[in-house]
Amino acid sequence: MAHGYLSTQENASLCHRLGIECVYLQPTAPPDHTYTNWLQQRDVTTDITLLQQQIAEFERLVAHYRQLQLQKQKQKQLDPLVAKDDDDAFAEQAQNGEKEETNWTPPSGLEGDDGDDDVRLNQHPWQLTVRKHGLSIETGIRTFSDLVFFLTAPSSPSTLLIGSPVSDPGKHLQRLMPMWLLRRGTFEIIRQMLDSTSSKSANATKRNPLLLTAAPATLDDAALNALCLPLLHALFACHFSYHVLLHRATFYAWFVDPVDASDLISSPVICALCAYALVIPCQHTRQLVLRDQQEAAARAFYERAHDLVCFDDVSMGSLITLTFMALFHVKTYNRADAALYLDMAFRMRHLWLDDGGASVSSAPEKRDPRMQELFKRVHWAMLRVAVSLEFMANRRGVPMDVSKKRATNKAEATPQPHPVARLLREQHQQFVRTALPDEPKRVQATLRMHHVTFEMTKILSRFIQRVRWGKSDAIDVPLLTETEADYAQFYAQVPTHLRMDLKPLLALTTSGNENLPAALRRLLDQRFVASDGSVRHEQLPKLFLAIHYVQGLISLYEPFFPDLQDAHRARLLGLLDEQGLPIVHSSLSSSSSSKPVDPSSDTMPSMTLSPSSSSSASSQNEANQKPAPPLLPQSPQPSPPLSPTSVAMVPVQQLAHERCTQAATLLVFFLEYTQHLGFACDIDISLLLSPWDVHLRNACLGQEMNDAAAFLSTQLISRARQSLLQCFSILHHGCFFNFAQAPLIDYFDHIEHTLCASLHRSPSNPIYPSV
């Protein structure tokens, strides 16, 4: 029906004539201006209140950062060890005729001291004006130079706009080389073992470098033959299930099953793997041979492999034999022979790939598709040899020289990496290991974990090479921030079946929870322990990847640790000489002859130190030992108390300290938890030494707790001292050493006695397992 809209009743007759229903419109009411004004006033009042709160917060932050700047100026005047400002560093280098090899040049107008900086910042104070249509801020910035200066000034409020104190793109960071006491001390012992092995090898192999240098074996052929299959089974079940250097089914089909079971020692491949099985830190292979016969058995297997291998036979068997002979020499610290057999193995892989040079024996192998996967995995075994040789030459790990002279030394020629290392780094995608259908899920996840770990290492490699081995102490901030961002982003993109969420665990380490180990264990049990109490093996690669990632976090920040005079304490404890080198001795066996302690002493001791009790404990230990060169100063004195102003940290040092402490606390617990799950064989000692060095620094040994509080909080010091004891527990319950590492065992025994004396605690059983 049609409707008519009328404004008056006079027009109603027209609607009646047309048959249209009339609808009368009501007049519109005038707006309620009173209500509208009230709403507007309420909004303005809310905005003003919020603005006042923001201004108050802004003023508080500005005052806070101004106070930090004043502390930095005091620190610069009182402590000559604190990193200089870039302007002072440039001036000092100009006076000494040194050149700073960096890409950064200070913008014009940046000359001057901190006082000039403050004048320039305060010359045009910021003004905040509330206007009708919003806010306006007058900053005094007129040119690009002003903007650059504002962004790079130490006391600039721009820090409020940046999430990290070290994300300033126009500055350098001062590298403060950490002491690395345990890692450098361990390497010094390894260097002594290398020199000892080299001298013995030179005297025994003057006629032929390929002759074996070992003593004759004492085990007969029947005993060696009976050990072959049990050693191989244990090797594949434990060590190769994590490192995945071979494929079990393919290896057995080609190199074990065709051999007569009564004469397995006639196979050079089997003998090479059995020799390797007895020198790796694996309790499953060691328990098959009596401790006093392990060295004889290992060298007997190696001697047979050496005598049986045909160096001219181009085959996969020869390639595997030469590779694991090289690994045997790595584990027994024979650097020259390890390099020799690695070169022969790498030459063999080229010949095996070359169709024209392939022998008749290698032709059937190349037709087996599984052999291609085995071939890829052998490359990773060769890489382990190459990496170990770089470490033995002190081109990996931590530098032995951490003095300030490193900043001005002329650059040395960097040795080229071994060809197998270049091959795997440049053509990595061609050698990515893939699980075969017959392998369990854990091996499949472990292979993916190794691939992710390799990529994470590549992200960190450039940064670590620069901060540890670079000759300049000035580190570009973007190098750190970009590396950290790439590292975190890469880990965040790892699939969830391999990645563990570490944020709640890292946060828990700083929560002040008095029962931190129990809290961490509850969180991890939810991930790795099934409801029936069994270990979820397929989830373990998550834990191993998290261990490597957290260790990378320590590597990122430990070069910027603030100086807590830990080197001074280490000298007082007899662990560091006046030149800053770790004190090691050619014979520390007297430590192991100390009187056994009561098992009840394994309980956690009081962490409060007393100089007198520390000295008496040290004297008691010395009284129980046989005569030996003095390991401690004759009259050790605790370091004097230091004022808190002498150890004030700049923001980047504070950040480095917090991140490394978090990571070290979590990493030690991860390693302990791995042992708790029953996987002590998969822990490399280098993973333990990184957090151990951090806790040794934070423990402030040699000082009373109240005096040490000038450096760190008493809660942090107490936790660090507990973590030191955790590290010794991991060392005692793990499997880290073989028969060739007796000097290392003596060294850690000496470290334990020294540190426990400082904590007035009796050491545990000095004989470490798996020897």
Side-chain angles (χ1 to χ4, degrees):
M1 182 178 180
H3 298 276
Y5 297 91
L6 305 176
S7 59
T8 63
Q9 294 186 0
E10 282 90 10
N11 298 325
S13 59
L14 179 61
C15 294
H16 287 299
R17 287 198 302 270
L18 297 176
I20 299 175
E21 180 182 358
C22 294
V23 177
Y24 295 94
L25 298 178
Q26 298 296 327
T28 304
D32 188 351
H33 295 288
T34 303
Y35 180 75
T36 302
N37 292 337
W38 178 80
L39 289 177
Q40 293 176 351
Q41 291 175 0
R42 188 186 65 171
D43 293 339
V44 171
T45 303
T46 303
D47 292 341
I48 292 176
T49 303
L50 180 61
L51 182 59
Q52 290 174 340
Q53 294 174 353
Q54 292 175 345
I55 293 175
E57 179 67 13
F58 188 82
E59 290 175 346
R60 186 188 66 79
L61 290 174
V62 170
H64 171 69
Y65 280 96
R66 184 171 297 171
Q67 183 65 26
L68 289 180
Q69 176 64 13
L70 293 176
Q71 291 179 1
K72 178 182 177 182
Q73 293 176 0
K74 285 184 179 180
Q75 178 186 4
K76 182 180 175 182
Q77 296 171 359
L78 296 176
D79 191 355
L81 296 179
V82 175
K84 299 179 177 66
D85 287 348
D86 290 336
D87 298 334
D88 297 335
F90 279 113
E92 183 180 6
Q93 289 172 358
Q95 293 175 1
N96 298 332
E98 300 167 3
K99 292 184 179 180
E100 175 63 34
E101 295 187 12
T102 65
N103 296 325
W104 182 81
T105 56
S108 61
L110 294 191
E111 298 80 13
D113 55 16
D114 290 341
D116 295 335
D117 292 350
D118 292 338
V119 170
R120 180 164 181 176
L121 284 173
N122 298 324
Q123 186 176 4
H124 300 285
W126 286 20
Q127 295 181 357
L128 182 64
T129 306
V130 181
R131 301 184 184 276
K132 182 177 180 180
H133 299 292
L135 300 176
S136 65
I137 302 177
E138 282 290 327
T139 63
I141 297 175
R142 296 292 182 267
T143 65
F144 182 76
S145 177
D146 292 337
L147 177 61
V148 172
F149 177 80
F150 170 75
L151 292 175
T152 58
S155 58
S156 168
S158 63
T159 314
L160 305 176
L161 309 177
I162 304 174
S164 171
V166 300
S167 56
D168 188 347
K171 281 286 187 179
H172 292 151
L173 298 177
Q174 181 76 6
R175 176 182 61 182
L176 301 175
M177 302 296 281
M179 186 170 57
W180 287 318
L181 175 65
L182 294 175
R183 277 173 280 181
R184 292 169 63 221
T186 300
F187 182 79
E188 183 62 29
I189 294 293
I190 291 176
R191 186 154 59 184
Q192 291 182 6
M193 292 190 293
L194 289 170
D195 294 342
S196 175
T197 304
S198 177
S199 61
K200 291 179 181 178
S201 178
N203 294 331
T205 60
K206 290 181 179 179
R207 291 174 297 176
N208 188 342
L210 296 181
L211 291 179
L212 183 69
T213 62
T218 59
L219 298 180
D220 57 22
D221 292 351
L224 292 177
N225 196 80
L227 282 174
C228 288
L229 287 181
L231 283 175
L232 290 179
H233 292 337
L235 184 65
F236 277 95
C238 179
H239 185 74
F240 284 163
S241 69
Y242 175 76
H243 295 288
V244 199
L245 302 179
L246 293 174
H247 177 241
R248 180 188 180 109
T250 305
F251 180 83
Y252 270 73
W254 280 92
F255 306 113
V256 178
D257 296 342
V259 181
D260 185 1
S262 62
D263 194 21
L264 293 173
I265 55 176
S266 64
S267 167
V269 189
I270 293 178
C271 290
L273 260 68
C274 289
Y276 175 71
L278 289 172
V279 295
I280 58 174
C282 177
Q283 58 188 359
H284 301 90
T285 57
R286 304 275 183 80
Q287 66 186 5
L288 299 173
V289 183
L290 295 177
R291 178 176 297 177
D292 56 354
Q293 295 182 348
Q294 288 174 3
E295 180 176 4
R299 296 194 181 278
F301 278 122
Y302 175 87
E303 183 179 6
R304 285 188 172 275
H306 172 270
D307 293 341
L308 293 171
V309 65
C310 181
F311 295 96
D312 296 326
D313 177 29
V314 181
S315 64
M316 181 61 68
S318 298
L319 175 59
I320 295 175
T321 303
L322 293 173
T323 300
F324 281 90
M325 289 171 68
L327 281 170
F328 176 88
H329 285 300
V330 164
K331 296 297 183 180
T332 53
Y333 299 99
N334 192 332
R335 178 170 47 191
D337 286 352
L340 175 66
Y341 284 103
L342 175 61
D343 290 341
M344 289 193 290
F346 193 69
R347 172 182 174 272
M348 184 68 68
R349 64 83 63 185
H350 279 296
L351 295 176
W352 192 85
L353 274 180
D354 184 7
D355 292 332
S359 65
V360 177
S361 61
S362 67
E365 297 174 349
K366 301 182 71 172
R367 289 194 292 266
D368 187 348
R370 299 177 302 173
M371 192 64 75
Q372 297 298 324
E373 177 62 27
L374 186 66
F375 178 69
K376 288 193 298 185
R377 297 185 183 186
V378 174
H379 281 77
W380 294 95
M382 287 190 284
L383 179 65
R384 291 175 66 86
V385 181
V387 168
S388 299
L389 290 174
E390 290 181 2
F391 174 78
M392 292 176 180
N394 197 212
R395 299 201 303 269
R396 297 180 68 89
V398 298
M400 287 300 293
D401 181 12
V402 296
S403 64
K404 291 296 180 182
K405 295 180 181 179
R406 287 176 48 82
T408 57
N409 286 343
K410 293 183 179 180
E412 300 178 356
T414 303
Q416 293 296 320
H418 192 274
V420 71
R422 291 201 304 269
L423 179 68
L424 291 182
R425 290 165 187 164
E426 296 172 1
Q427 304 179 25
H428 174 60
Q429 294 302 323
Q430 299 182 19
F431 295 93
V432 174
R433 292 167 287 181
T434 56
L436 296 180
D438 63 300
E439 293 181 302
K441 290 184 178 180
R442 180 193 172 188
V443 173
Q444 298 176 20
T446 300
L447 287 176
R448 290 192 289 267
M449 179 270 295
H450 282 303
H451 173 66
V452 173
T453 303
F454 185 82
E455 295 296 332
M456 288 197 309
T457 304
K458 285 170 55 178
I459 294 174
L460 293 178
S461 60
R462 176 171 169 262
F463 173 82
I464 293 178
Q465 186 71 20
R466 171 64 184 85
V467 298
R468 291 186 181 177
W469 306 95
K471 64 178 183 177
S472 172
D473 283 339
I475 307 299
D476 293 335
V477 171
L479 178 62
L480 172 59
T481 56
E482 292 172 6
T483 303
E484 180 192 30
D486 293 344
Y487 192 62
Q489 182 180 8
F490 180 84
Y491 184 77
Q493 294 175 349
V494 173
T496 55
H497 67 275
L498 286 178
R499 174 175 50 85
M500 187 191 310
D501 185 8
L502 297 176
K503 290 182 180 179
L505 298 174
L506 288 171
L508 194 59
T509 61
T510 58
S511 62
N513 192 331
E514 296 182 356
N515 198 10
L516 179 63
L520 288 172
R521 178 165 295 183
R522 282 195 299 270
L523 289 177
L524 292 184
D525 283 345
Q526 297 173 4
R527 295 173 170 87
F528 301 107
V529 179
S531 58
D532 59 355
S534 61
V535 179
R536 301 170 63 185
H537 292 82
E538 70 280 359
Q539 296 293 323
L540 287 177
K542 271 188 181 181
L543 179 59
F544 296 137
L545 182 61
I547 288 174
H548 289 287
Y549 177 78
V550 174
Q551 186 192 33
L553 294 179
I554 297 177
S555 301
L556 270 174
Y557 281 96
E558 64 179 352
F560 310 107
F561 266 163
D563 183 14
L564 301 186
Q565 296 199 3
D566 42 333
H568 175 61
R569 295 189 187 86
R571 291 188 182 96
L572 293 178
L573 293 173
L575 299 175
L576 206 66
D577 63 15
E578 292 301 323
Q579 288 72 37
L581 295 175
I583 295 178
V584 296
H585 300 272
S586 58
S587 177
L588 298 173
S589 58
S590 59
S591 300
S592 61
S593 62
S594 58
K595 186 177 180 179
V597 298
D598 193 316
S600 62
S601 65
D602 289 338
T603 57
M604 186 67 66
S606 171
M607 292 292 105
T608 303
L609 292 184
S610 169
S612 59
S613 62
S614 175
S615 177
S616 63
S618 177
S619 301
Q620 182 66 29
N621 283 334
E622 292 175 359
N624 293 334
Q625 295 176 1
K626 295 180 181 179
L631 302 180
L632 296 174
Q634 296 298 325
S635 300
Q637 297 293 332
S639 56
L642 300 175
S643 60
T645 55
S646 65
V647 292
M649 302 181 192
V650 297
V652 64
Q653 294 175 348
Q654 181 68 31
L655 180 68
H657 165 74
E658 292 175 356
R659 299 254 175 113
C660 283
T661 301
Q662 280 184 328
T665 302
L666 187 59
L667 183 52
V668 168
F669 180 79
F670 277 164
L671 297 177
E672 189 177 55
Y673 186 75
T674 303
Q675 289 184 345
H676 167 70
L677 295 180
F679 295 92
C681 305
D682 293 332
I683 301 176
D684 189 87
I685 195 169
S686 62
L687 295 172
L688 177 62
L689 295 180
S690 295
W692 201 344
D693 271 333
V694 176
H695 291 310
L696 181 61
R697 167 190 170 276
N698 289 346
C700 296
L701 297 181
Q703 274 196 308
E704 290 276 9
M705 183 72 75
N706 293 335
D707 296 335
F711 298 86
L712 303 170
S713 68
T714 56
Q715 180 184 17
L716 193 150
I717 295 172
S718 177
R719 180 170 290 175
R721 293 174 180 180
Q722 294 178 25
S723 296
L724 288 181
L725 302 178
Q726 275 186 284
C727 292
F728 282 120
S729 175
I730 293 171
L731 203 64
H732 279 282
H733 293 90
C735 187
F736 297 98
F737 308 108
N738 64 19
F739 57 80
Q741 296 173 309
L744 267 181
I745 299 172
D746 292 337
Y747 174 69
F748 282 107
D749 188 29
H750 163 55
I751 291 291
E752 181 174 13
H753 276 76
T754 304
L755 298 187
C756 287
S758 178
L759 293 171
H760 60 87
R761 177 185 187 272
S762 299
S764 302
N765 187 349
I767 301 298
Y768 292 101
S770 308
V771 181

